[in-house]
Amino acid sequence: MLESIRRWIANVPLGYRAAIITLIITAVFSFWDWGAYYLGVAIMLCTFLYAPEKFLLASDQHNKVKNVMSLLAVRGDNLQVGLEQVPVSKLKRVAVGEYDKRFGILQFPFNYQISHSHIFPIQQLDSVREFFKTNYPDVELIT
């Protein structure tokens, strides 16, 4: 249910969101005497209406890339993923699998050094798995 509400609000243009926010604030101050209480509620509601994607999106953000292999590199004793690096000694598990029918996903769920998940075209999934099997045979691939 929250997902459908989030999609509906996210599809409302910002101008309409601003008009709704203005109407809510006007109604709060026109009809209620408990201004301070309702002002707080109105501010929270307005913030939610203005930017629902900040409140309802999943906590982990995905980075959608066209070529995930261009992000992966071996740098001495480190694995480099884009601009982030993790020492091989701390790299135990990597999640590589299908995100949906068109995209694969690369995540580092047990390594705080790499903060983002990467979504890439599903055709590159075998190449990513092969990269880790070749360069990091001790790393467990979670599928």
Side-chain angles (χ1 to χ4, degrees):
M1 180 171 157
L2 284 178
E3 181 65 22
S4 63
I5 292 170
R6 184 198 66 80
R7 276 195 221 123
W8 182 80
I9 292 173
N11 287 332
V12 175
L14 288 178
Y16 290 132
R17 288 189 210 175
I20 291 170
I21 291 168
T22 304
L23 287 174
I24 291 171
I25 291 175
T26 303
V28 166
F29 286 111
S30 297
F31 299 114
W32 291 307
D33 293 332
W34 297 357
Y37 172 74
Y38 288 108
L39 177 62
V41 171
I43 289 172
M44 288 177 20
L45 180 63
C46 292
T47 304
F48 177 76
L49 285 174
Y50 186 73
E53 48 279 340
K54 299 295 180 196
F55 298 100
L56 294 178
L57 282 179
S59 60
D60 55 343
Q61 298 294 316
H62 301 301
N63 182 22
K64 191 180 254 187
V65 296
K66 292 181 181 179
N67 184 4
V68 71
M69 295 306 295
S70 65
L71 297 178
L72 299 174
V74 179
R75 299 280 186 240
D77 290 338
N78 293 330
L79 165 67
Q80 182 172 348
V81 182
L83 298 176
E84 301 174 303
Q85 290 189 16
V86 62
V88 176
S89 60
K90 295 188 178 190
L91 189 64
K92 304 294 180 206
R93 296 184 188 115
V94 176
V96 180
E98 273 189 38
Y99 182 70
D100 59 23
K101 292 181 181 181
R102 298 180 316 146
F103 294 101
I105 188 165
L106 172 64
Q107 293 179 314
F108 299 88
F110 303 103
N111 299 299
Y112 66 90
Q113 290 94 348
I114 298 180
S115 58
H116 288 87
S117 303
H118 300 280
I119 297 176
F120 54 90
I122 194 77
Q123 296 84 1
Q124 299 173 15
L125 186 59
D126 291 333
S127 300
V128 173
R129 287 184 178 147
E130 189 62 35
F131 173 84
F132 283 101
K133 287 178 184 175
T134 303
N135 296 303
Y136 303 103
D138 297 334
V139 173
E140 179 185 353
L141 290 178
I142 303 170
T143 56

